[in-house]
């Protein structure tokens, strides 16, 4: 399940650099999470890092993006594979 930033976000900029998958970006008004890139931090950390650092607790699970742990691990592997490929290309 990907995470979702609600409109209580105060644009404090704290979560964006914490995301290991570069899934968080500034949207039109508040920060947003790309659900295709969010693994709940599976593969990187024990807990969703954005949720841990958010000072106003405005990050929730996205009920429209349901995935179990094996699916999240597949997503993690796909994303890290892409990063490895990008790294090789820039060498
Ligand atoms: Fe990024 Fe992890 Fe937050 Fe998902 S849960 S947006 S992967 S920091
Ligand atoms: Fe918004 Fe929370 Fe991220 Fe700050 S940490 S930008 S309040 S979602």
């Amino acid at each position: 399940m990907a995470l979702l930033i609600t409109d209580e976000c105060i644009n404090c900029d704290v979560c964006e650099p914490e995301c290991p998958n570069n899934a968080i970006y500034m949207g039109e008004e508040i920060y947003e999470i790309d659900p295709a890139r969010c693994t709940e931090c599976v593969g990187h950390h024990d807990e969703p890092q954005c949720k841990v650092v958010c000072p106003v607790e405005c990050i929730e699970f996205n009920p429209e993006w349901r995935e179990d742990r094996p699916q999240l691990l597949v997503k993690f592997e796909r994303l890290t594979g892409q990063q490895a490929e990008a790294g090789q290309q820039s060498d």
Side-chain angles (χ1 to χ4, degrees):
M1 201 180 288
L3 272 72
L4 177 74
I5 296 174
T6 71
D7 59 11
E8 285 157 42
C9 171
I10 56 169
N11 293 336
C12 73
D13 308 328
V14 168
C15 57
E16 192 266 339
E18 297 299 324
C19 179
N21 294 322
N22 296 323
I24 303 176
Y25 60 95
M26 187 64 201
E28 281 189 23
E29 293 185 0
I30 55 171
Y31 276 90
E32 295 180 20
I33 293 174
D34 177 355
R37 297 190 69 87
C38 174
T39 62
E40 294 178 33
C41 285
V42 165
H44 293 283
H45 302 286
D46 291 338
E47 291 179 273
Q49 295 300 290
C50 55
K51 212 167 155 49
V52 169
V53 298
C54 179
V56 295
E57 299 184 5
C58 68
I59 308 181
E60 300 173 355
F61 287 98
N62 186 339
E64 293 177 10
W65 206 276
R66 295 190 177 277
E67 294 156 305
D68 58 21
R69 190 174 170 86
Q71 287 173 308
L72 290 167
L73 275 170
V74 168
K75 192 196 266 188
F76 161 75
E77 283 163 12
R78 177 175 55 79
L79 288 166
T80 50
Q82 283 173 358
Q83 280 166 9
E85 272 178 36
Q88 281 164 7
Q89 280 163 8
S90 63
D91 281 344

